[in-house]
Amino acid sequence: MGRPPGPQNLARLLADQRTTVEWFPRQQAYLRRHRPPTLILWGRHDGYMPADAARAYLRDLPDAELHLLDGGHWLLETHLDEVVALMRDFLGRLHR
């Protein structure tokens, strides 16, 4: 995030957050209709997006695999090895 275009991309994302809520019903409808295989990796201590936000996905994707890790919002920064292992396992099972 410290090098271009990271800061510009983050600023654009944050400036556009209010419009993303409009997309939620369409996203939810897509997930319910297509039920793609889904792995949800979430930080249990995420102060920005609490664990209940992760659990909310299970309403539309009841077969999703949810892992609440002992981390915060930046799991790739703090729990990379654990995230990679879970992703490899998930993808390995998905593409047997």
Side-chain angles (χ1 to χ4, degrees):
M1 294 305 298
R3 296 187 314 258
Q8 295 86 352
N9 289 342
L10 179 59
R12 191 169 46 250
L13 175 69
L14 294 174
D16 192 42
Q17 273 189 317
R18 61 179 160 29
T19 64
T20 61
V21 174
E22 298 169 11
W23 283 85
F24 285 2
R26 292 192 331 206
Q27 287 176 326
Q28 291 167 319
Y30 173 86
L31 295 175
R32 283 190 298 267
R33 183 171 39 254
H34 296 285
R35 291 204 168 174
T38 304
L39 173 66
I40 304 168
L41 303 174
W42 213 273
R44 179 183 320 278
H45 308 292
D46 189 332
Y48 177 66
M49 298 178 76
D52 283 344
R55 290 183 192 100
Y57 280 101
L58 298 176
R59 290 193 300 258
D60 299 315
L61 293 165
D63 299 326
E65 185 175 323
L66 170 62
H67 295 269
L68 293 173
L69 305 180
D70 192 31
H73 190 70
W74 304 104
L75 282 178
L76 292 177
E77 298 291 328
T78 60
H79 291 73
L80 181 62
D81 292 342
E82 195 172 355
V83 167
V84 168
L86 289 164
M87 289 176 67
R88 282 187 174 152
D89 177 66
F90 177 79
L91 292 172
R93 285 183 280 120
L94 189 65
H95 295 289
R96 282 187 188 184

